[in-house]
Amino acid sequence: VEGNPLSWIDLLGLEAEMCYRLIKFRLIPGQHCFIRFNGNDSDTLSFDPDGIHPDPVHQGATCRKAEGREGDDCVKQEIQKCQKYNFFRNNCCYCIEQALKACGQYITSRQWPNWPINPGPQLGESGYKR
């Protein structure tokens, strides 16, 4: 509950995190996004040209806790809907954003990787902050 038990409640300890790391091919700028559950590096999901699977290279990633409702099962189900990976649009991050959004969770736009290609929450969406 991030040191504030009166404002935040995580009864079951379920928490999704949006994580990102530099793309393996450093010639192409950007970050690769994936989801980590409950701070467990063995419990991740990634979207890349090979589809949806555990993230293979999570070492060195930066992770941000999602705000909103808890619901790992919801996020795991929603990420399975991601299709048509596009390397040049960094839509791995968009896939993560949409899965979190569908489950009532979000990462604030100030923390979103690959902005402005994949800008994160926009004006009028949950989690939008200037």
Side-chain angles (χ1 to χ4, degrees), residues 31-42:
Q31 309 281 334
H32 172 70
C33 295
F34 62 96
I35 290 278
R36 179 172 71 178
F37 299 96
N38 308 309
N40 183 351
D41 286 336
S42 298

Side-chain angles (χ1 to χ4, degrees), residues 74-89:
C74 177
V75 175
K76 288 178 181 181
Q77 182 178 355
E78 288 297 320
I79 199 171
Q80 298 298 323
K81 297 177 181 178
C82 297
Q83 298 178 16
K84 298 181 183 177
Y85 180 81
N86 184 324
F87 186 79
F88 297 102
R89 301 274 309 174

Side-chain angles (χ1 to χ4, degrees), residues 5-64:
L6 298 177
S7 297
W8 297 97
I9 299 172
D10 185 12
L11 297 174
L12 301 176
L14 303 177
E15 191 167 75
E17 297 172 281
M18 184 272 306
C19 301
Y20 55 94
R21 58 178 161 71
L22 288 176
I23 293 174
K24 288 192 288 188
F25 308 107
R26 297 195 190 271
L27 297 175
I28 299 171
Q31 309 281 334
H32 172 70
C33 295
F34 62 96
I35 290 278
R36 179 172 71 178
F37 299 96
N38 308 309
N40 183 351
D41 286 336
S42 298
D43 193 5
T44 63
L45 283 176
S46 182
F47 176 53
D48 62 24
D50 296 327
I52 309 294
H53 53 82
D55 188 68
V57 188
H58 49 267
Q59 294 84 6
T62 298
C63 296
R64 306 274 188 228

Side-chain angles (χ1 to χ4, degrees), residues 118-130:
N118 179 259
Q122 299 300 296
L123 182 64
E125 294 180 340
S126 295
Y128 175 79
K129 295 190 180 174
R130 286 184 185 218

